[in-house]
Amino acid sequence: MIRPLLVRGMLVGLGAGVLAFAFAFAFGEPQVQHAIDFEDHLARLHHEPAEAELVSRGVQRTLGLLTGTVVMGVALGGLFSLVFAWAYGRIGAMSPRLTAAVLAVGAYLTITVVPFTKYPANPPTVGNPDTIDKRTVLFVTMIAITILAAVAAARVRRQLLGRLGAWNAALVAAAAFLPVVAAAELVLPAVHETPAGFPADVLYRFRLASLGINLTLWTTIGLGFGAAAQRLLVPSVAPRPAVAGSAKPV
């Protein structure tokens, strides 16, 4: 059963990547272009030579962006299907569609929203190129801590479910999750590399677009894979044909 789920997850991820590209092209790319224009303006003020483009801007914003979102969508869809295969039936008596929806919401919160509160997205041109490795490690570390805290909180909820009930067990799990995340955000170093004078509205819209792109990915994966898994795991039962000559009920 793993292979059919994996195939469906990757196909749904492919569609999610295409939709994410459309969203990114409409809402994210204009902000990236504004950021590039700002960097070019600073370079001209400081009489810095223009850097040669290895890939043209037109290719970056079309084929390059599409390739990136599709590859990400397929990878996330495949990974999501494997997590679903493990979680189905273990996180509660839920249908495949509801299980997929819960996992997608959890993924969006733990992989995108919570780490975003510590390390929000910046346009590609913003930041010191020499610190990109450090920033990547910090961001991945925040994601890993958030995921581990969420898994631990889910285990706490499951263990307390019988004694405290669903609502109280969820409150205790949240009380266990939030301090871990808060401690991580206090301990991990902050990153402040936005150049002085960078347009605040551009930064704000880019970060909103970043959240929207991820929301598009996870919503499509959650709903699309949930529907596919529902058809695979819970096949519909066709009504039995009426027997000829059978007596009709009075």
Side-chain angles (χ1 to χ4, degrees), residues 157-184:
R157 177 186 178 277
R158 185 176 180 181
Q159 292 175 355
L160 298 178
L161 192 60
R163 286 186 293 169
L164 300 181
W167 178 254
N168 290 330
L171 290 179
V172 174
F177 172 80
L178 293 176
V180 174
V181 172

Side-chain angles (χ1 to χ4, degrees), residues 57-70:
R57 178 69 184 133
V59 173
Q60 291 176 15
R61 66 196 300 267
T62 54
L63 183 60
L65 179 61
L66 176 62
T67 302
T69 56
V70 166

Side-chain angles (χ1 to χ4, degrees), residues 2-26:
I2 298 295
R3 183 176 179 180
L5 289 174
L6 179 61
V7 171
R8 284 163 173 77
M10 295 176 71
L11 290 175
V12 170
L14 174 63
V18 173
L19 291 178
F21 162 75
F23 189 98
F25 184 82

Side-chain angles (χ1 to χ4, degrees), residues 41-233:
H41 176 68
L42 288 183
R44 287 193 298 268
L45 288 178
H46 294 87
H47 305 287
E48 297 177 358
E51 298 182 0
E53 288 186 340
L54 298 178
V55 181
S56 68
R57 178 69 184 133
V59 173
Q60 291 176 15
R61 66 196 300 267
T62 54
L63 183 60
L65 179 61
L66 176 62
T67 302
T69 56
V70 166
V71 170
M72 179 182 295
V74 171
L76 291 178
L79 181 61
F80 184 85
S81 66
L82 298 179
V83 175
F84 173 89
W86 174 86
Y88 180 53
R90 288 186 172 92
I91 61 175
M94 296 183 288
S95 67
R97 183 177 282 112
L98 182 57
T99 301
V102 170
L103 291 177
V105 171
Y108 181 64
L109 292 176
T110 57
I111 297 176
T112 301
V113 175
V114 174
F116 188 92
T117 61
K118 177 65 177 180
Y119 300 114
N122 286 328
T125 59
V126 173
N128 184 357
D130 297 333
T131 64
I132 187 170
D133 291 337
K134 175 185 176 182
R135 286 183 278 129
T136 301
V137 170
L138 290 174
F139 185 67
V140 172
T141 300
M142 189 66 211
I143 292 176
I145 292 173
T146 305
I147 292 175
L148 292 175
V151 171
R155 290 178 63 88
V156 169
R157 177 186 178 277
R158 185 176 180 181
Q159 292 175 355
L160 298 178
L161 192 60
R163 286 186 293 169
L164 300 181
W167 178 254
N168 290 330
L171 290 179
V172 174
F177 172 80
L178 293 176
V180 174
V181 172
E185 295 200 356
L186 289 174
V187 171
L188 291 175
V191 176
H192 301 294
E193 295 188 355
T194 304
F198 189 87
D201 59 331
V202 173
L203 187 62
Y204 173 75
R205 288 196 295 265
F206 178 85
R207 289 175 174 176
L208 280 184
S210 176
L211 290 173
I213 293 168
N214 284 276
L215 180 61
T216 301
L217 273 171
W218 288 115
T219 300
T220 305
I221 290 175
L223 298 180
F225 182 82
Q230 185 80 18
R231 289 193 297 268
L232 177 67
L233 301 176

